[in-house]
């Protein structure tokens, strides 16, 4: 759990200080966050849900959702197109009663479309990590576990509007064969890459990219010469904040909402969502 300089946990301060306009369902009350993993690897979802629960305010319900079809792990822009559709399906199936949704895959599959379609805040873990990093320092780097994600992650930086402040992506030379073990098998390599990003690329902040690295940032912070951002922690904290800043009632009149339209062959909840616009 993250702490303020005086030793008080974030979640404790969030609930001990009143928030103007605080209602049931907002920060400090009961809040329900969907954690949507468009990959099929349930163990990855469980790990990310555990991290989200550790940093969330007391009383927050984290609802972990894992894709039932698609890919064990999304590692390309082509796969992300499929994953984005699956993310929208899962949000539609569970949106009732939810205060916000987190797309828990680092390239944020389906993020723009989900924001158009659903009347609740939708946070992508890549964008959340990058925006948080931009508030911690001027120059940002991403360190990840495979070179195959490099171009896709560059898209995430561009989409976040941070290309001018980006110092680059650092990866190992080859793709890891066991994604479930990369935090251990590549730990020393990842620490070395983080420090190279700081020393050679001029990064002020390092983002650890990719769901398989979720939760590693707090473990290696003492060995990296700059702040290290964990994307799921950033996305969870931002989802809570956005649910307070922009409750669902304000979404109905958005100009970006799709026009109501019939759909054929889509799951029932998603069909109803498109019919409503």
């Amino acid at each position: 759990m993250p702490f303020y300089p005086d030793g008080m946990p974030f979640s404790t301060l969030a609930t001990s200080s009143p928030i103007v306009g605080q209602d049931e369902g907002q920060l400090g009350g009961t809040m329900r966050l969907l954690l949507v993993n468009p990959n099929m690897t349930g163990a990855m979802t469980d790990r990310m849900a555990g991290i989200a629960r550790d940093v969330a305010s007391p009383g927050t319900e984290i609802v972990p959702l894992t894709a039932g079809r698609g890919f064990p792990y999304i590692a390309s822009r082509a796969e992300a197109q499929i994953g984005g559709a699956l993310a929208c399906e899962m949000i539609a199936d569970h949106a009732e009663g939810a205060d916000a949704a987190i797309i828990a895959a680092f390239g944020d599959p389906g993020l723009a479309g989900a924001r158009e379609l659903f009347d609740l805040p939708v946070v992508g873990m890549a964008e959340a990590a990058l925006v948080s990093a931009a508030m911690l320092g001027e120059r940002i780097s991403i360190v990840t576990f495979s070179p195959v994600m490099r171009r896709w992650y560059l898209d995430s930086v561009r989409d976040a509007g941070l290309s001018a402040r980006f110092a680059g992506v650092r990866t190992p030379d080859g793709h890891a064969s066991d994604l479930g073990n990369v935090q251990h098998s590549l730990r020393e390599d990842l620490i070395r890459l983080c420090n190279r990003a700081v020393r050679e690329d001029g990064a002020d902040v390092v983002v650890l990219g990719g769901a398989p690295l979720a939760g590693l940032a707090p473990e290696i912070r003492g060995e990296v010469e700059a702040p290290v951002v964990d994307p799921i922690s950033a996305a969870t904290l931002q989802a809570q904040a956005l649910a307070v800043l922009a409750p669902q009632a304000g979404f109905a009149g958005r100009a970006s909402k799709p026009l109501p339209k019939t759909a054929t062959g889509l799951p029932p909840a998603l069909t109803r969502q498109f019919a409503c616009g």
Side-chain angles (χ1 to χ4, degrees):
M1 177 179 293
F3 288 83
Y4 285 98
D6 62 2
M8 180 179 288
F10 284 160
S11 57
T12 302
L13 188 56
T15 54
S16 63
S17 301
I19 299 173
V20 176
Q22 180 174 303
D23 297 314
E24 185 76 6
Q26 294 185 338
L27 191 61
T30 301
M31 187 177 288
R32 188 168 185 260
L33 304 182
L34 307 180
L35 190 140
V36 181
N37 182 8
N39 302 297
M40 295 180 66
T41 306
M44 198 178 296
T45 309
D46 293 342
R47 183 189 308 138
M48 291 188 288
I51 295 163
R53 292 185 182 109
D54 285 344
V55 300
S57 299
T60 301
E61 180 188 4
I62 303 296
V63 182
L65 305 171
T66 306
R69 63 190 193 281
F71 306 97
Y73 184 74
I74 297 170
S76 71
R77 290 176 289 192
E79 294 161 6
Q81 294 294 315
I82 308 299
L86 298 174
C88 287
E89 286 184 15
M90 289 188 281
I91 296 172
D93 285 340
H94 297 85
E96 185 174 354
D99 294 285
I102 298 165
I103 296 180
F106 191 79
D108 300 341
L111 177 61
R115 282 180 173 161
E116 281 189 343
L117 189 59
F118 298 106
D119 291 340
L120 76 171
V122 183
V123 175
M125 62 185 280
E127 183 184 64
L130 291 165
V131 170
S132 297
M135 292 187 283
L136 291 168
E138 182 179 353
R139 301 278 292 166
I140 306 157
S141 281
I142 295 174
V143 168
T144 190
F145 55 88
S146 170
V148 303
M149 263 81 78
R150 184 186 304 273
R151 290 188 179 182
W152 184 26
Y153 288 2
L154 288 172
D155 287 351
S156 296
V157 176
R158 179 202 63 205
D159 293 345
L162 292 168
S163 296
R165 295 173 59 184
F166 191 57
V169 180
R170 287 274 183 178
T171 77
D173 293 333
H175 182 71
S177 58
D178 181 5
L179 298 185
N181 193 46
V182 290
Q183 291 199 24
H184 304 289
S185 63
L186 294 179
R187 183 188 179 101
E188 296 307 315
D189 286 340
L190 293 167
I191 292 170
R192 208 161 24 244
L193 290 167
C194 287
N195 284 320
R196 287 189 66 188
V198 175
R199 297 169 189 164
E200 299 175 24
D201 303 334
D204 300 306
V205 189
V206 177
V207 172
L208 290 184
L213 300 186
L216 180 61
E219 297 181 13
I220 66 172
R221 280 176 184 146
E223 301 174 73
V224 177
E225 299 167 8
V228 185
V229 174
D230 176 73
I232 282 295
S233 299
T236 302
L237 294 168
Q238 287 194 20
Q240 288 192 288
L242 293 177
V244 175
L245 292 171
Q248 294 181 27
F251 282 79
R254 288 174 299 145
S256 63
K257 283 181 66 66
L259 295 174
K261 186 176 292 185
T262 58
T264 303
L266 298 182
L270 193 57
T271 298
R272 290 192 297 271
Q273 187 68 46
F274 275 106
C276 295

